[in-house]
Amino acid sequence: MRNTSVSTWSTAARAVASSTPPRPPGWSRRPASATTRRPNTAAKHGVLGLTKTLAVELAPHDVTVNAVCPTAVDTPMTGGIVESIDEDIAEIAEQSGPDNLLDDIVQPEDISAAFLWLSSDDARFVTGIGLPVAAGATAL
């Protein structure tokens, strides 16, 4: 399953890249992004590796390739997780401290802002990165 995820992403990204029309005047980037990052998950690290490889391959065409890597985001999918875990796990989580450095949960708008920034002229020289939108979780 994990290999399928990485190879599917790679095949799709290369197909899009090979059919990318010449860039119009005034446009120098077409960011390709993946919203994945989790320690010890081979497929997600594979996507980050492909992001770097595609950044190198597409740079001569003025195409930037980046990945947006969010932590848990406040969505209906993540809502209620804390309430649903049993007391023992909740106690361990409480003792281990916060899961990010900032005292809030990432909102969907924060992820959108990262994509918008990577698509802007302000990020014209940013390519080949996995941009964590994780409220400092990657620093812990």
Side-chain angles (χ1 to χ4, degrees):
M1 178 74 171
R2 288 185 178 126
N3 288 337
T4 302
S5 298
V6 173
S7 64
T8 301
W9 190 88
S10 174
T11 301
R14 289 176 192 278
V16 169
S18 68
S19 65
T20 300
R23 65 183 172 94
W27 180 255
S28 61
R29 289 159 323 284
R30 295 170 192 94
S33 301
T35 56
T36 57
R37 174 170 246 173
R38 271 292 213 255
N40 305 317
T41 304
K44 293 178 182 185
H45 286 280
V47 168
L48 292 174
L50 288 168
T51 298
K52 292 177 183 193
T53 299
L54 288 169
V56 171
E57 292 178 3
L58 297 175
H61 306 286
D62 290 324
V63 175
T64 62
V65 182
N66 297 292
V68 173
C69 308
T71 186
V73 179
D74 188 15
T75 65
M77 185 179 89
T78 60
I81 289 176
V82 173
E83 294 81 12
S84 67
I85 58 177
D86 68 29
E87 290 179 27
D88 292 337
I89 295 174
E91 184 178 333
I92 292 169
E94 187 176 314
Q95 291 174 0
S96 67
D99 58 355
N100 69 52
L101 295 176
L102 306 176
D103 208 14
D104 204 357
I105 187 166
V106 175
Q107 298 299 310
E109 296 81 12
D110 300 316
I111 307 307
S112 299
F115 279 103
L116 288 172
W117 178 72
L118 286 170
S119 300
S120 74
D121 285 341
D122 292 336
R124 68 186 171 275
F125 293 114
V126 178
T127 192
I129 66 158
L131 178 64
V133 182
T138 57
L140 295 175

